[in-house]
Amino acid sequence: MDAIWRLQISTADGTFRTQQDMGSLKIDGSPIMNVDGTGNCTECTFSGDMDIGPREKVTVQWSDDGGTTWKNRFQGVATQSKSPQAYFGGYKLVGLLKKLEEAEASKSLPAGDLSGQVQQLLTDTLASGQVGTLLQPTVQVVGTFTPLTSNKIVPNYQKVSEVLKSVLCPRLSGSLVAVNADGQLLFGLFEGTLALDELDANVQPVQWGDVDAEELITDLRLIWPKTMGGQISTWDGSLDGGGRRIYSVLKDQQNTLASALVAGPTSAYGRSVQTLGVILDSANFMRRAPNGSVTLAPAVIVSGGSSTPGLTITGDDATSSELWDGDRNTYATLTPDPAGGGYAVFNLVLPYAAGLGVPIGVEFAAENVSVASIVLDDSQRSFISISPGGSSGFYLIPDEVRALLATTTASSGPTLTLSLRMTDLHAPALLRACSLIWVDPAFSGPLLTAVLRLPAPAAGSVVVNGWPDPLPKVSVQRRGLSHEPLDVITLPASYTYRVNAGGALETEIKLGQRDAPDVSAQATLVKQRDKNATLAAVRVSGST
């Protein structure tokens, strides 16, 4: 296919400035454009003498009908350009997702539809002026999935890309974000396969690479910052004169990290663990309903107060499930003491079934009440934290404590007891969340997929004529020496678009690479977090 292409150049804020057609371009060869299977533009490089300034937006356009209609193949900002004093130099364009890696998110996203939150984040970012008019104003939702209701998000000046990748995407398992050649933000489940046949004259035979096992990552460890200090004790069955259990202190635990090991699919190559610091978010965790009745009892009663505090449940099903439904917009209401005296402290007790595994912590959020202590007791081991330290309503259990709790042989499940102190004795308390929490596989699974690095014997590449639209996967009908059909191989794909020495459009499609497009967005998140020392910061916070 004859190559007909051109460049459109806009200022750094997105205002169109000039257009350069093939005949006027002083370029050596052609742009080399890398695009992943989601359509996300990653990088474009070329050399020459071009009228392109630092950080200007450049769009590579092409036409397959002689110039009647034009389509965008790549769009990005110039992060490298020729020196004004040189006659010839190199240029590098980076896809527009980089602008979202540089912009900060300052406004909260109200609870609502997940796709709507992505749209609101983009709208707020454009309104802030941080990205000019480089991006289109409407998010394109891709793939088929059931609409999801997402809790409120408070970004606290995180980068927009981090909110997208580490907060919003984990709420829809397998979802990714991309910015395509039209400057449109894409969100959702990317699907589709490009079918190729080696018998096709436009398809060259696949070139298979050697097996690469230099980088090995088999498992993922997620770590969260500062946990509850406290004391863990054990009970051997002894009772005191009053019939109370006599506990022996095993360990005074001041502060360590909380972590979760996410095991990979195989240990056949040995074990290598990637560690990732995680920002606390409701989507990190799952909750389970208690096994039995939730009880409430006064612990400290002000003179003249009743011994039976009133608990009024507010919610669709009129049960205390509002405490563990993961939605802080629902709540149970603790009414003031009708006797007028008031109760200063009360205990909230939630029993759980055995066999659920050791929780990673406790979620508690409320109004007009604070946490005086948290106790987790399984009849053999007891962990107590006085004035526990938490963040965003999450109180995490130190790893060393969880390891000791995991060794218990108790047949009964754990009981969670929170001692809660009223702020205003005569006003209602709204209990929005109270539950043991475990790491949610829907959150940890995609992150494991992102970092997993196993030997990839099927890695290869295939060159095709033209510039086909990118799709997440490519299937290749392989052929033998006599063109007989062999097997069909389907692999993740990324695309490199270029013009060959003969002046024709061609595309090299990389198959089954370690940084395959169906995981590249999350892998980028991991690399960014390592670079900005999130992991180091989390570790430091766990040792002070």
Side-chain angles (χ1 to χ4, degrees):
M1 179 185 296
D2 292 336
I4 302 176
W5 56 278
R6 68 186 185 189
L7 301 182
Q8 286 193 340
I9 302 168
S10 302
T11 61
D13 67 356
T15 304
F16 175 78
R17 185 172 67 79
T18 187
Q19 179 174 291
Q20 297 187 19
D21 297 315
M22 286 179 59
S24 62
L25 287 171
K26 298 178 181 178
I27 189 170
D28 181 20
S30 78
I32 306 298
M33 297 164 282
N34 294 310
V35 178
D36 69 29
T38 64
N40 185 61
C41 297
T42 55
E43 182 179 284
C44 173
T45 57
F46 52 92
S47 300
D49 180 14
M50 315 288 289
D51 181 18
I52 299 174
R55 287 288 173 152
E56 289 197 311
K57 184 182 80 170
V58 180
T59 304
V60 182
Q61 296 186 315
W62 68 292
S63 174
D64 56 4
D65 59 6
T68 301
T69 57
W70 292 87
K71 294 176 283 188
N72 297 340
R73 178 46 68 210
F74 190 96
Q75 195 169 122
V77 294
T79 57
Q80 176 183 324
S81 55
K82 179 185 74 66
S83 168
Q85 287 74 40
Y87 294 103
F88 192 87
Y91 298 83
K92 177 182 175 181
L93 310 178
V94 177
L96 294 181
L97 193 58
K98 183 169 183 66
K99 297 300 295 183
L100 299 181
E101 294 169 357
E102 298 170 342
E104 63 180 12
S106 58
K107 290 188 175 182
S108 299
L109 303 176
D113 177 66
L114 179 62
S115 300
Q117 287 183 321
V118 177
Q119 177 63 63
Q120 186 62 52
L121 178 61
L122 175 63
T123 299
D124 292 343
T125 303
L126 291 173
S128 72
Q130 298 178 82
V131 298
T133 58
L134 296 175
L135 299 173
Q136 292 192 31
T138 304
V139 174
Q140 179 180 339
V141 179
V142 298
T144 302
F145 55 90
T146 302
L148 295 175
T149 299
S150 172
N151 292 337
K152 179 180 179 180
I153 295 170
V154 183
N156 288 331
Y157 301 101
Q158 291 174 260
K159 297 301 184 183
V160 174
S161 62
E162 188 170 5
V163 176
L164 287 167
K165 295 176 182 179
S166 65
V167 180
L168 292 168
C169 281
R171 298 186 177 189
L172 174 61
S173 180
S175 64
L176 298 171
V177 292
V179 179
N180 65 14
D182 297 322
Q184 187 164 39
L185 177 63
L186 313 179
F187 166 76
L189 304 177
F190 291 82
E191 303 166 340
T193 301
L194 176 65
L196 302 176
D197 190 329
E198 288 185 331
L199 192 61
D200 189 333
N202 290 317
V203 179
Q204 299 180 22
V206 178
Q207 301 299 313
W208 297 107
D210 297 330
V211 177
D212 183 359
E214 179 176 352
E215 184 180 14
L216 179 68
I217 300 175
T218 61
D219 307 288
L220 172 66
R221 182 174 295 279
L222 303 174
I223 66 173
W224 285 266
K226 209 161 187 174
T227 54
M228 295 186 284
Q231 185 182 84
I232 186 166
S233 305
T234 185
W235 180 56
D236 63 3
S238 302
L239 302 174
D240 65 10
R244 294 179 293 268
R245 297 173 183 172
I246 301 175
Y247 281 94
S248 301
V249 176
L250 280 179
K251 189 176 182 66
D252 278 317
Q253 181 59 54
Q254 295 305 316
N255 211 336
T256 60
L257 298 171
S259 76
L261 181 66
V262 188
T266 180
S267 59
Y269 308 104
R271 286 191 65 227
S272 175
V273 181
Q274 171 76 41
T275 303
L276 172 62
V278 181
I279 297 172
L280 273 174
D281 182 78
S282 178
N284 298 172
F285 308 113
M286 61 184 295
R287 301 128 184 101
R288 293 187 172 99
N291 182 37
S293 299
V294 176
T295 59
L296 185 70
V300 178
I301 304 173
V302 177
S303 177
S306 168
S307 62
T308 307
L311 181 62
T312 302
I313 304 300
T314 302
D316 294 338
D317 55 3
T319 71
S320 52
S321 63
E322 285 77 15
L323 300 180
W324 53 84
D325 61 2
D327 184 359
R328 296 189 185 180
N329 293 312
T330 62
Y331 54 86
T333 303
L334 181 63
T335 59
D337 182 355
Y343 37 91
V345 180
F346 60 90
N347 292 331
L348 186 62
V349 182
L350 296 85
Y352 285 84
L356 299 178
V358 179
I360 198 167
V362 175
E363 180 181 17
F364 180 78
E367 297 171 19
N368 192 35
V369 70
S370 61
V371 181
S373 68
I374 293 176
V375 178
L376 187 64
D377 189 335
D378 66 2
S379 78
Q380 289 191 358
R381 298 276 167 89
S382 177
F383 173 67
I384 181 170
S385 181
I386 306 297
S387 299
S391 178
S392 302
F394 296 103
Y395 301 81
L396 302 185
I397 302 172
D399 265 7
E400 292 183 9
V401 172
R402 295 177 68 234
L404 290 170
L405 291 173
T407 62
T408 184
T409 57
S411 58
S412 61
T415 297
L416 172 64
T417 303
L418 287 87
S419 291
L420 304 174
R421 182 181 294 110
M422 296 290 292
T423 304
D424 183 347
L425 301 183
H426 305 293
L430 304 184
L431 308 181
R432 296 187 177 275
C434 184
S435 174
L436 291 178
I437 53 175
W438 292 260
V439 178
D440 191 344
F443 166 75
S444 60
L447 291 178
L448 172 65
T449 302
V451 303
L452 201 63
R453 295 293 181 270
L454 300 175
S461 65
V462 59
V463 175
V464 301
N465 296 338
W467 285 355
D469 291 333
L471 289 172
K473 294 184 178 181
V474 168
S475 67
V476 180
Q477 171 64 69
R478 298 179 63 237
R479 298 282 175 171
L481 294 177
S482 301
H483 305 300
E484 72 278 10
L486 301 176
D487 55 344
V488 176
I489 295 181
T490 301
L491 294 169
S494 60
Y495 301 74
T496 298
Y497 299 100
R498 63 198 181 203
V499 179
N500 65 22
L505 304 179
E506 70 176 19
T507 304
E508 179 182 3
I509 304 175
K510 297 180 177 64
L511 306 172
Q513 300 299 305
R514 290 181 298 167
D515 291 323
D518 58 348
V519 301
S520 62
Q522 291 282 13
T524 299
L525 163 64
V526 173
K527 293 174 184 176
Q528 287 172 343
R529 285 180 170 174
D530 284 344
K531 288 179 181 178
N532 66 18
T534 299
L535 183 56
V538 169
R539 282 177 169 147
V540 169
S541 73
S543 60
T544 56

